[in-house]
Amino acid sequence: MEKKERRVGTISRGIRCPIIRQGDDLAAIVSESVLEAAEYEGFELRDRDVISVTESIVARAQGNYASVKDIADDVRAKLGGGTIGVIFPILSRNRFAICLRGIAQGAKKIVLMLSYPSDEVGNELVSIDKLDNAGINPYSDVLSLEKYRELFGVNKHEFTGVDYVQYYGDLIRECGAECEIVFANQAKTILNYTDCIINCDIHTRARTKRILLEAGAKVVCSLDDILNAPVNGSGCNEKYGLLGSNKSTEDTIKLFPRECRGLVDDIQKRIFDATGKHVEVMVYGDGAFKDPQQKIWELADPVVSPAYTDGLIGTPNELKLKYLADNDFKDLSGKALKDAISKSISEKKGDLVGNMASQGTTPRQLTDLIGSLCDLTSGSGDKGTPVVLVQGYFDNYTN
């Protein structure tokens, strides 16, 4: 009997799971939830399917939490508790405001230096058109709070409706610290105010720290230097510290998951033992994509995936079908065209980087691409699907 040709490619399924609590056997829960979904919905697992687990439930199962007081105590111990420059934070109630509360409680005064016209991930403080109209050069000009208000007034975030300048200033003062706010994009500017600094940028943090230390800063901590070890018995993240953390309650944060390679390997083994199929497994956080309207770049976590099985190492190595159809095989059609393209795919060898027939195939890390797909599938609200099963991702036109 002739085998039927598959008519679908990649499929992404959100998998519903129980609410995860600290101490739960997450590997067992995830594996059982995927297997139960397959049985209930009538699909089968296949080799190279990808099971993705959101970082939130991993950290929750680990009990990786810390309090505002823990942050304050660590900041005070590492930066002296006097005047602290807090530079380049992102504008987020969920991501940074609670961290700022802890930082402010560990200092007498905060000099808050905000990048403008937007933060690192694209949240806008003022439109670039307003900068142009005011004759302001964001690469060189330093603005006081008074000058910012004089030129631009109140600018509420388009999506959240929050004036983050006012919000962060009020938050610092409510924590008992003095507050001074400036707007600048050169890291060294903060040295005009203090030589004890927390640089809060995410993906540029190593460069910022280097620039400050070379310019004579006394102490520079990136967010990955705060809570990189337990404080008062708290959770921590040895590699990322406060990076990737989220608000849990008004007084606690959930940190990015700690070492979790063992978790993904365990899930992989459980699925193989149950089905004989070799799946790949990853933990994912924010996807790496950009909103076209507000220009917000989603990736506020330090990485898309903090842990994954070996089969997810690397980048895609694909041919561009439309390039082949429009160039190499432009005179073919129908079955002849399909056979020619299938033959090209079957015979592709080695690394295709630089090959014209692979141009435009998004040579990003597999975990960044799959993690972005999973983040969009699971969402960040009330879908209740913290596990995503991706099938057919590694298929091509010949499968």
Side-chain angles (χ1 to χ4, degrees):
M1 182 177 178
E2 185 179 352
K3 187 176 180 180
K4 288 185 177 180
E5 182 178 1
R6 280 171 53 190
R7 308 302 292 179
V8 296
T10 300
I11 299 170
S12 177
R13 286 185 172 93
I15 305 296
R16 290 185 175 169
C17 296
I19 301 298
I20 303 300
R21 294 297 187 193
Q22 180 175 341
D24 284 350
D25 186 345
L26 191 58
I29 292 171
V30 170
S31 302
E32 290 165 7
S33 296
V34 171
L35 293 170
E36 288 172 2
E39 180 180 3
Y40 187 85
E41 299 292 339
F43 62 85
E44 294 183 354
L45 294 177
R46 297 194 288 262
D47 288 331
R48 300 216 78 189
D49 285 354
V50 182
I51 297 173
S52 299
V53 185
T54 184
E55 59 83 18
S56 177
I57 63 170
V58 178
R60 196 183 306 154
Q62 292 177 342
N64 202 19
Y65 295 90
S67 70
V68 167
K69 182 181 184 301
D70 298 328
I71 298 172
D73 288 348
D74 205 24
V75 167
R76 193 178 298 108
K78 289 174 177 172
L79 291 109
T83 298
I84 298 175
V86 176
I87 73 171
F88 303 156
I90 64 171
L91 308 175
S92 172
R93 294 167 296 176
N94 174 47
R95 287 286 192 172
F96 186 71
I98 194 162
C99 296
L100 181 58
R101 183 174 290 117
I103 294 168
Q105 289 183 15
K108 290 181 180 178
K109 179 179 179 179
I110 296 293
V111 180
L112 182 66
M113 193 172 93
L114 300 171
S115 58
Y116 74 100
S118 63
D119 70 6
E120 179 184 4
V121 296
N123 294 294
E124 193 174 82
L125 278 174
V126 57
S127 74
I128 198 163
D129 294 316
K130 286 185 178 181
L131 293 187
D132 292 342
N133 292 337
I136 296 297
N137 181 350
Y139 300 103
S140 59
D141 293 344
V142 178
L143 305 178
S144 65
L145 175 59
E146 292 72 26
K147 189 64 174 178
Y148 169 83
R149 291 298 193 198
E150 175 190 331
L151 291 172
F152 308 118
V154 173
N155 294 272
K156 293 185 178 181
H157 192 285
E158 182 176 346
F159 291 161
T160 67
V162 174
D163 174 3
Y164 280 96
V165 176
Q166 184 72 41
Y167 177 58
Y168 279 180
D170 289 346
L171 186 155
I172 291 167
R173 287 183 286 269
E174 288 166 5
C175 291
E178 296 178 52
C179 178
E180 183 174 359
I181 300 177
V182 295
F183 302 80
N185 290 309
Q186 297 294 330
K188 289 186 290 187
T189 300
I190 194 64
L191 296 175
N192 297 325
Y193 303 85
T194 180
D195 58 2
C196 294
I197 301 141
I198 300 177
N199 65 293
C200 304
D201 44 339
I202 305 163
H203 306 290
T204 55
R205 62 188 182 276
R207 176 177 181 267
T208 300
K209 180 187 279 191
R210 172 178 57 78
I211 288 170
L212 290 168
L213 290 172
E214 289 175 353
K218 179 182 175 182
V219 183
V220 183
C221 290
S222 303
L223 287 180
D224 54 0
D225 296 316
I226 308 299
L227 284 186
N228 57 359
V231 175
N232 307 321
S234 73
C236 70
N237 191 297
E238 294 83 352
K239 188 174 183 180
Y240 297 118
L242 286 177
L243 290 174
S245 62
N246 284 272
K247 179 179 179 179
S248 177
T249 70
E250 292 303 318
D251 297 307
T252 60
I253 60 169
K254 177 189 61 61
L255 296 157
F256 211 49
R258 300 172 79 173
E259 175 56 47
C260 46
R261 175 61 194 259
L263 171 70
V264 297
D265 288 342
D266 190 1
I267 295 171
Q268 184 182 59
K269 183 179 184 302
R270 288 171 183 265
I271 295 297
F272 182 82
D273 290 345
T275 67
K277 302 300 181 182
H278 183 90
V279 301
E280 305 296 343
V281 186
M282 64 181 282
V283 176
Y284 70 98
D286 277 345
F289 46 82
K290 190 171 184 178
D291 171 67
Q293 177 181 339
Q294 191 63 12
K295 308 299 186 289
I296 296 172
W297 185 38
E298 175 72 8
L299 187 55
D301 285 326
V303 291
V304 173
S305 177
Y308 43 87
T309 50
D310 289 344
L312 295 176
I313 296 171
T315 60
N317 199 44
E318 301 173 346
L319 295 171
K320 194 80 166 179
L321 295 192
K322 61 185 179 184
Y323 181 90
L324 293 174
D326 291 345
N327 291 272
D328 296 32
F329 309 123
K330 61 184 178 182
D331 296 324
L332 300 179
S333 60
K335 186 176 185 302
L337 175 59
K338 178 180 178 180
D339 290 346
I341 289 179
S342 297
K343 186 172 185 292
S344 294
I345 294 172
S346 299
E347 293 177 351
K348 68 181 179 182
K349 294 179 181 179
D351 189 345
L352 296 176
V353 172
N355 186 322
M356 288 298 289
S358 70
Q359 64 181 329
T361 54
T362 319
R364 291 161 52 192
Q365 294 296 317
L366 290 167
T367 50
D368 293 341
L369 292 163
I370 298 170
S372 298
L373 170 62
C374 293
D375 189 26
L376 288 167
T377 301
S378 62
S380 57
D382 56 8
K383 289 184 172 63
T385 56
V387 174
V388 176
L389 174 66
V390 178
Q391 297 188 291
Y393 189 85
F394 295 100
D395 289 357
N396 60 46
Y397 189 61
T398 67
N399 294 109

